[in-house]
Amino acid sequence: QSVLTQPPSVSGAPGQRVTISCTGSSSNIGAGYDVHWYQQLPGTAPKLLIYGNNNRPSGVPDRFSGSKSGTSASLAISGLQAEDEADYYCQSYDSSLSGSVVFGGGTKLTVL
Amino acid sequence: QLQLQESGPGLVKPSETLSLSCSVSGGSIRSNNYYWGWIRQPPGKGLEWIGSVYFTGNTYFNPSLKSRVTISVDTSKNQFSLNLSSVTAADTAVYYCASQLGAVAGLDFWGQGTLVTVSS
């Protein structure tokens, strides 16, 4: 049972826009801690995709965007491409767990 | 930019201690505000944070693993290490090391990961 809740799977056709939600609580996202997103392609290490809620590291296309409101956050991917098919994880910090890094359970994105 | 590389045995017997190291290149492990962490991923499952260490030696652990985990830093070798004791099959996973610019920041650089199997 992950501290942050994500849908197990989402799907979309090429060119479409999809969103992935990440729901937390008052001790993590709701407490104001930043949310970060990772993309994990099959057989590879996770890659930081969005940091600080809505910032993209150098090299990440602007098709990827993040937002946060209350106890939840979202990752949006527009202009869906076949190469976007991957697992996506949200991550934050939880003050009630001895200062822990916490992850969502992950969402499998399928490009139809 | 930072590069991280895990090393250690790929097979550990039940009840023994899993030991891994992470070598850091492209920067100093003593860099201000950088935390150094371990994350694992059981086959077919999601990511689980194990714990992190600051170059001063301060450590932070996942409460569910705290009783079995030791994380240390060796500034002379620019590397940090993980020990997980009393392992069982449930500890079989790909183990990643990663860097984190601040305790609440994202994990910006990752090692490629190393599969550790717990089996007799």
Side-chain angles (χ1 to χ4, degrees):
Chain A
Q1 198 87 355
S2 301
V3 173
L4 305 178
T5 300
Q6 298 180 232
S9 63
V10 297
S11 63
Q16 285 188 334
R17 180 179 185 270
V18 297
T19 62
I20 298 173
S21 62
C22 174
T23 303
S25 67
S26 59
S27 61
N28 41 68
I29 299 175
Y33 295 112
D34 285 344
V35 177
H36 318 288
W37 291 90
Y38 302 86
Q39 178 192 59
Q40 186 176 32
L41 297 170
T44 69
K47 166 191 164 185
L48 183 63
L49 193 67
I50 296 287
Y51 69 94
N53 306 315
N54 56 13
N55 300 289
R56 289 184 307 277
S58 175
V60 174
D62 59 6
R63 302 186 295 103
F64 295 91
S65 62
S67 64
K68 173 188 155 184
S69 178
T71 58
S72 296
S74 290
L75 172 71
I77 309 172
S78 60
L80 208 55
Q81 300 180 3
E83 67 208 49
D84 298 333
E85 186 160 296
D87 293 323
Y88 292 85
Y89 294 89
C90 61
Q91 177 246 310
S92 188
Y93 177 92
D94 194 297
S95 59
S96 72
L97 298 173
S98 303
S100 287
V101 170
V102 290
F103 286 100
T107 299
K108 169 67 176 178
L109 168 62
T110 300
V111 180
L112 302 170
Chain B
Q1 73 179 27
L2 291 173
Q3 292 183 317
L4 291 83
Q5 177 69 56
E6 305 89 353
S7 61
L11 181 64
V12 180
K13 289 182 169 54
S15 80
E16 295 190 344
T17 296
L18 178 160
S19 296
L20 296 173
S21 293
C22 181
S23 295
V24 179
S25 58
S28 172
I29 205 165
R30 298 176 62 90
S31 297
N32 283 345
N33 297 321
Y34 254 106
Y35 290 71
W36 308 96
W38 289 97
I39 302 94
R40 69 180 183 179
Q41 184 172 36
K45 296 188 178 181
L47 301 170
E48 179 181 35
W49 176 71
I50 300 170
S52 299
V53 64
Y54 195 57
F55 79 89
T56 56
N58 288 357
T59 49
Y60 311 85
F61 301 119
N62 184 326
S64 69
L65 297 169
K66 185 175 183 177
S67 64
R68 298 195 291 131
V69 174
T70 303
I71 298 177
S72 59
V73 61
D74 187 334
T75 55
S76 67
K77 295 181 179 179
N78 220 41
Q79 67 181 31
F80 60 106
S81 300
L82 167 71
N83 282 345
L84 179 65
S85 64
S86 304
V87 297
T88 69
D91 295 308
T92 293
V94 175
Y95 285 75
Y96 296 100
C97 59
S99 60
Q100 186 181 17
L101 186 55
V104 302
L107 298 147
D108 48 4
F109 296 100
W110 294 64
Q112 65 185 27
T114 186
L115 175 62
V116 179
T117 301
V118 178
S119 175
S120 56

